[in-house]
Amino acid sequence: MDEDSQPIQPQDQSCWASLPDVCLRRVFWWLGDRDRSRAALVCRKWNQMMFSADLWRYRTITFSGRPSRVHASEFESALWYVKKFGRYLEHLEIKFLNPYNAILTKKFQVTMRGLLSCLGKSNNRLKSLSVQQLELDRLVWRNSIRSSFIKSLSFFLKKVGKHLDYLNLKGARLTVEQGCVVLNSLSYLRSESVVSQLNIEDYFSHHLAVYSSAQFTRTMATFHSLASLTLNYNCISDELLENLCENNARTLWTMNIKCHIHDPHGQVIWGMSWAKLARHATNLKVNFFFERVMKYERLARILLQEIPIRSLSLRSCYFSDPDWSMRPTLTDLLPTFRHTLQKLTFEFNNNHESLDEELHLLVLSCRKLFYFKIWAFLDVRFVERILKSQEEGQCSLRTLKVRIYTNRYETNDEDRTLREIHRRYRKLIDAELNYFVIAYPMM
């Protein structure tokens, strides 16, 4: 019916009836499952269109870890989807959100066994698989449930490993033996794995000295096409760097390394091992993420001058240690990487020392720096100094994010000064910067 309640004539419907298939697929691509099901009932053409491979290449399947009637059908609908459209899948992401008890982990394990089995039989085009934050070392994962899930996942990876390009198992929390079994599945019946992007951050449980495991070294030697590798520092060893140099120097572009306070990180890595890898993998850029590892002595053992560091993140959360000083790190250690650093992220509690001058000089010394984020106790005028340097061409930032901690509940004075600074440099900010600055009471 039109606006005047008159019947729509057949010729007025022809725009949808004659819409090209490529346009229909684009419209349907934006619809959720429920709307797609309804659209499939409109006519035979639309029903056939719903089986276009383009519509089902990407899929995120989310399972709730809490008992709920609302989420009761998640497990059944996931299996239904894989049976119906699994053969078209190219990129699959599985999420299991904070499992509440062993009953739900068992249900998830059984569902995944059926899902992976069905997918392994019908799909030969899967390129990307992500199963993150399972935390399999938690008590809700009984030994039998965990073992059955690992067995299903390993068997599935043996089938799809020959064409899988991206694998993300971040947060799995496995033992070294379990983790190596899963990773070895990628090279089953072959001498090497073809995966080019591998994320095994927090893949192993806390407190494990993975770097000393010969089994892990042999497992990583099967990867010959890595372009991006994400892992924890407790996996890094001279042997691993040697393997990467021998097998992945042509392809390796990025290494993302997380170092957490609870992970062993006291191993000695020779600078010559990093230098050899950097020399052969000429495009390599290394990104470090430190969680509560802030003391200069520890950082200096890890951040060797031979490493081509592109990005550095230092976070202490809200922990404060009056015996700790950030100054040596800012003045002596980080300037070593001034020719390669492009991104800097700091989040620390420096209530016991002022670091405005040191931070400003560090930003000026890193000529390639384009991203700067800091949460710390700072003078409000620090922001003005950075903007003035940007205006004068002394730095080339594209992103500036600052959270200024204060020891007062009220931040009216700081807010007023920040507004004045923003008005003064508004043209510069609008033209050049992704800009976010705020005063934050740290009580």
Side-chain angles (χ1 to χ4, degrees), residues 281-328:
T282 55
N283 296 313
L284 177 63
K285 297 292 182 290
V286 182
N287 306 313
F288 272 99
F289 305 87
F290 291 93
E291 296 280 347
R292 294 174 58 192
V293 180
M294 303 293 289
K295 291 188 177 181
Y296 174 82
E297 295 76 14
R298 294 184 178 183
L299 293 172
R301 287 170 59 93
I302 297 171
L303 299 176
L304 305 179
Q305 62 181 359
E306 292 85 359
I307 308 176
I309 299 179
R310 174 184 179 271
S311 172
L312 187 65
S313 174
L314 292 169
R315 300 178 66 247
S316 67
C317 300
Y318 298 113
F319 293 93
S320 179
D321 183 357
D323 298 326
W324 158 79
S325 174
M326 189 68 181
R327 186 170 285 109

Side-chain angles (χ1 to χ4, degrees), residues 62-315:
T62 302
F63 301 102
S64 174
R66 300 284 170 176
S68 168
R69 293 181 180 179
V70 177
H71 303 291
S73 63
E74 288 175 344
F75 297 90
E76 292 78 9
S77 62
L79 275 176
W80 174 87
Y81 165 78
V82 169
K83 291 177 181 178
K84 192 85 170 177
F85 303 108
R87 62 184 180 275
Y88 304 125
L89 260 178
E90 295 183 13
H91 306 273
L92 174 61
E93 180 180 17
I94 304 290
K95 294 181 179 180
F96 188 28
L97 306 177
N98 301 316
Y100 178 75
N101 55 33
I103 296 175
L104 287 169
T105 55
K106 176 64 177 179
K107 192 173 183 180
F108 173 79
Q109 177 261 314
V110 172
T111 302
M112 287 299 295
R113 182 179 61 194
L115 187 151
L116 295 177
S117 175
C118 180
L119 200 59
K121 295 175 183 177
S122 63
N123 185 287
N124 60 0
R125 61 172 73 188
L126 192 69
K127 299 176 182 177
S128 167
L129 175 64
S130 176
V131 188
Q132 296 188 52
Q133 306 298 347
L134 290 180
E135 298 179 338
L136 292 163
D137 57 354
R138 290 179 55 198
L139 293 178
V140 292
W141 292 92
R142 303 281 173 80
N143 289 336
S144 58
I145 300 174
R146 184 190 306 111
S147 299
S148 296
F149 174 76
I150 292 172
K151 183 178 179 180
S152 299
L153 179 60
S154 300
F155 187 74
F156 175 71
L157 291 177
K158 288 178 182 179
K159 288 194 170 186
V160 302
K162 58 181 177 294
H163 47 78
L164 196 66
D165 182 65
Y166 172 90
L167 179 63
N168 186 342
L169 296 174
K170 177 180 178 180
R173 296 294 185 197
L174 299 170
T175 66
V176 175
E177 183 179 357
Q178 291 168 339
C180 290
V181 166
V182 173
L183 293 179
N184 283 329
S185 302
L186 295 166
S187 56
Y188 179 67
L189 295 181
R190 299 180 305 281
S191 60
E192 60 187 65
S193 167
V194 298
V195 168
S196 69
Q197 299 182 67
L198 178 66
N199 188 337
I200 51 173
E201 178 185 323
D202 296 335
Y203 179 65
F204 298 102
S205 296
H206 279 314
H207 310 293
L208 293 179
V210 184
Y211 59 82
S212 63
S213 168
Q215 184 181 11
F216 177 70
T217 301
R218 290 192 299 270
T219 296
M220 292 305 296
T222 62
F223 291 90
H224 286 222
S225 305
L226 287 175
S228 174
L229 174 62
T230 301
L231 73 175
N232 291 59
Y233 190 76
N234 66 336
C235 298
I236 301 292
S237 64
D238 291 312
E239 291 77 16
L240 174 66
L241 298 180
E242 181 67 26
N243 279 339
L244 293 175
C245 185
E246 289 183 7
N247 302 326
N248 301 275
R250 285 187 308 101
T251 58
L252 191 61
W253 281 70
T254 304
M255 287 184 68
N256 302 305
I257 302 174
K258 177 183 176 181
C259 185
H260 192 277
I261 188 66
H262 294 313
D263 287 334
H265 53 271
Q267 71 270 36
V268 176
I269 308 295
W270 290 98
M272 63 182 70
S273 299
W274 278 112
K276 183 179 179 181
L277 177 60
R279 188 168 60 252
H280 288 81
T282 55
N283 296 313
L284 177 63
K285 297 292 182 290
V286 182
N287 306 313
F288 272 99
F289 305 87
F290 291 93
E291 296 280 347
R292 294 174 58 192
V293 180
M294 303 293 289
K295 291 188 177 181
Y296 174 82
E297 295 76 14
R298 294 184 178 183
L299 293 172
R301 287 170 59 93
I302 297 171
L303 299 176
L304 305 179
Q305 62 181 359
E306 292 85 359
I307 308 176
I309 299 179
R310 174 184 179 271
S311 172
L312 187 65
S313 174
L314 292 169
R315 300 178 66 247

